[in-house]
Amino acid sequence: MPVFVDKARIFIQSGKGGDGHISFRREKYVPNGGPDGGDGGKGGDIIFKVDEGINTLADFHYGGKYKAENGHDGDKRRCHGKNGEDLIIKVPEGTVIKEASTGKVIADMSRDNKEAVILKGGRGGNGNMHYATSTMQAPKYAQPGQPSIELEVLLELKVIADVGLVGFPNVGKSTFLSKVSNAKPKIANYHFTTLSPMLGVVDLNDARGFVVADIPGLIEGASEGLGLGHEFLRHIERTRMMIHVVDAASTEGRDPLEDIEAINKELEGYNADISKKPQVIAANKIDMLPEGEQAEIIQKIRDKYEPLGVKVFATSTLTGKGIQELLYYVSRVLSEMPEKPVVFEQEFFPETMAREADEAFTVTYDSDAAEYVVEGPKIEKMLGYTNLDSEKGFAFFQKFLVDNGILDELEKLHIQEGDTVRIYGFSFEYYRNADTIPVEEEDTDNEFDQ
């Protein structure tokens, strides 16, 4: 039997920004031409978009990696690199996108949020044409493109319905839905008949209609993940109220009062807010009880739950008894409730995470080598695109160290003039209040050496 897929885990990666180009005009009648290196193109975005023709996450069942196109590098003659293509990922409405390791919400693809940029592509780097000044007419450095952002995300589909049908398996929820709405669920006499939430629209004369979802039958321990508990319980989170269907005839030997209590316990165990939603009880299958027993069991349920504000209806999906009264009651309750759709607010911001990771650096002292060691991804990239053999290029890099607070951190470690600072493949002698810091030594096999 096919399994409804409402949860998936995938990797997404935006495009890297193209690198700025280093070049100079070389024309026959223009000796000593100025810099003309073009800018890199922007990397592609990762965009999630609601597709109303999709109702499952089956396309993502086996995971995978979804990557936008990188921006192209700049070129000579001020040519701008081509922007990378965005990648659009289509999902069903109601999909919640979460950061995988923390479970924090990135975006909720429901209601008015039909399209969202989840990861932005890296900005293209400036070519050397941007760095020419009156005192620096031949800059031999350009800006690298911003890196891509990679993230593992969880996709969770939470159906959008006004009312959720809850109850144990085989209590008649699917039959109930087929009788009251336009939904046509498969119905059979075995547990877990419904393996996916089924939506139906209830139309009423002279009353407000509503959308109802048949949430697959729960079992005890569902809130702890037993069976398919978590897979089903998440679909109740968006509903505004619940119809709790119970087998009043005890056709499977269970006590209906114990059933109601057990399901409510599972709802509270999964999410306390769910258990506080308005609820109405459909004491179902009364057609299978003798007349005298009908009144007795219904009264027992009413005595326990109506003082708690939970209305109880005696229903039969076979004869239709009690169904219309229940539906009109639900419609009235919904109309009196404030219109407040359940939308999961953003808790995780990928851009902030990427920026913090890119800008992070460490400044430590290596006592064995008697050197101060500076490391960080942004510093490493800048080294790779700066010509430190040039006095102007070195001044440019030193300004970068000052602007990013790296020299301040060295001072906090009580660095002294003449001490050695090592930044990846380069070693420098430290001098205060100097226009430049002379290079003491350079590793010729450094991968960023230019």
Side-chain angles (χ1 to χ4, degrees):
M1 183 177 292
V3 177
F4 175 76
V5 180
D6 57 0
K7 188 174 183 179
R9 182 186 295 254
I10 63 173
F11 283 92
I12 55 177
Q13 183 177 350
S14 62
K16 173 190 175 300
D19 298 330
H21 190 70
I22 301 172
S23 61
F24 299 89
R25 291 173 64 192
R26 292 292 182 264
E27 298 176 34
K28 186 173 181 180
Y29 299 107
V30 186
N32 302 321
D36 69 350
D39 302 339
K42 177 186 173 295
D45 298 335
I46 293 289
I47 301 172
F48 279 74
K49 186 174 183 178
V50 170
D51 185 335
E52 295 181 357
I54 303 174
N55 59 10
T56 174
L57 295 173
D59 289 346
F60 310 100
H61 187 45
Y62 297 104
K65 187 169 185 175
Y66 297 79
K67 186 180 184 306
E69 186 182 18
N70 291 336
H72 293 218
D73 295 342
D75 207 345
K76 58 187 177 181
R77 297 181 181 175
R78 297 177 176 258
C79 289
H80 193 290
K82 180 184 174 184
N83 292 338
E85 291 287 335
D86 297 334
L87 179 63
I88 297 177
I89 300 174
K90 295 182 179 180
V91 294
E93 184 174 8
T95 300
V96 179
I97 305 163
K98 297 181 177 181
E99 197 277 324
S101 63
T102 63
K104 291 184 176 180
V105 175
I106 300 173
D108 183 353
M109 307 303 296
S110 66
R111 306 296 175 178
D112 296 331
N113 191 28
K114 303 296 185 184
E115 185 172 312
V117 178
I118 302 302
L119 297 182
K120 287 188 176 180
R123 187 177 61 246
N126 289 331
N128 71 332
M129 65 179 179
H130 291 277
Y131 299 109
T133 66
S134 59
T135 59
M136 189 189 303
Q137 297 184 9
K140 295 181 180 178
Y141 46 84
Q143 187 182 35
Q146 284 186 331
S148 62
I149 306 173
E150 182 176 342
L151 201 61
E152 185 180 20
V153 296
L154 286 176
L155 306 180
E156 289 186 355
L157 178 58
K158 301 174 190 286
V159 299
I160 299 175
D162 299 302
V163 179
L165 295 178
V166 298
F168 272 93
N170 211 27
V171 296
K173 293 189 286 88
S174 295
T175 305
F176 182 94
L177 183 67
S178 70
K179 294 288 185 181
V180 304
S181 75
N182 57 359
K184 303 298 177 187
K186 293 180 181 179
I187 301 168
N189 189 30
Y190 53 86
H191 285 190
F192 287 103
T193 300
T194 308
L195 285 179
S196 63
M198 181 69 68
L199 295 178
V201 178
V202 177
D203 291 320
L204 298 171
N205 294 326
D206 304 321
R208 168 181 171 169
F210 53 89
V211 178
V212 62
D214 174 14
I215 309 301
L218 301 176
I219 61 174
E220 289 188 82
S223 62
E224 300 169 4
L226 294 182
L228 296 176
H230 279 174
E231 310 306 312
F232 297 157
L233 281 164
R234 76 167 60 92
H235 295 290
I236 308 173
E237 291 185 84
R238 290 196 199 273
T239 58
R240 301 170 63 205
M241 70 176 295
M242 289 175 288
I243 298 175
H244 193 148
V245 184
V246 63
D247 179 3
S250 302
T251 58
E252 296 197 348
R254 296 193 310 268
D255 182 276
L257 286 169
E258 292 179 0
D259 276 8
I260 297 170
E261 187 174 342
I263 292 297
N264 285 338
K265 184 178 178 181
E266 295 305 325
L267 297 175
E268 185 174 6
Y270 177 74
N271 185 330
D273 290 337
I274 290 179
S275 65
K276 297 174 185 175
K277 291 179 185 288
Q279 188 176 131
V280 58
I281 293 174
N284 199 31
K285 299 188 179 182
I286 58 170
D287 56 278
M288 302 182 73
L289 284 170
E291 283 291 333
E293 290 184 28
Q294 279 187 27
E296 182 180 351
I297 186 61
I298 297 302
Q299 193 59 47
K300 282 183 179 180
I301 298 173
R302 284 176 174 158
D303 288 345
K304 182 170 182 179
Y305 286 99
E306 290 199 342
L308 302 176
V310 179
K311 186 78 171 173
V312 178
F313 291 85
T315 64
S316 168
T317 52
L318 181 65
T319 66
K321 180 178 180 180
I323 299 293
Q324 287 298 306
E325 293 88 343
L326 184 152
L327 295 178
Y328 276 95
Y329 173 80
V330 169
S331 175
R332 186 168 67 254
V333 172
L334 287 173
S335 65
E336 294 171 355
M337 293 173 65
E339 282 284 354
K340 190 178 179 181
V342 178
V343 177
F344 297 89
E345 299 297 330
Q346 185 171 9
E347 303 168 313
F348 186 90
F349 299 85
E351 284 186 47
T352 301
M353 175 206 71
R355 184 171 62 250
E356 289 174 350
D358 189 47
E359 294 178 354
F361 63 85
T362 59
V363 179
T364 58
Y365 181 69
D366 182 349
S367 56
D368 292 336
E371 292 178 335
Y372 292 84
V373 181
V374 179
E375 293 180 329
K378 191 173 182 179
I379 301 166
E380 189 175 18
K381 286 196 289 284
M382 189 56 72
L383 268 174
Y385 288 88
T386 305
N387 183 5
L388 297 182
D389 291 333
S390 159
E391 182 178 339
K392 296 294 186 181
F394 195 84
F396 177 80
F397 182 67
Q398 185 185 17
K399 185 177 185 300
F400 166 82
L401 297 180
V402 173
D403 291 345
N404 285 272
I406 295 167
L407 296 188
D408 288 339
E409 292 300 316
L410 287 167
E411 290 283 350
K412 288 179 183 179
L413 292 180
H414 308 294
I415 192 169
Q416 301 297 316
E417 287 197 8
D419 286 348
T420 300
V421 180
R422 187 164 187 82
I423 306 179
Y424 292 97
F426 298 87
S427 291
F428 313 103
E429 285 187 16
Y430 180 79
Y431 290 99
R432 290 188 180 88
N433 302 320
D435 292 334
T436 60
I437 305 174
V439 179
E440 182 180 74
E441 118 188 22
E442 179 179 334
D443 292 350
T444 56
D445 61 350
N446 175 43
E447 61 177 317
F448 295 100
D449 190 18
Q450 294 187 351

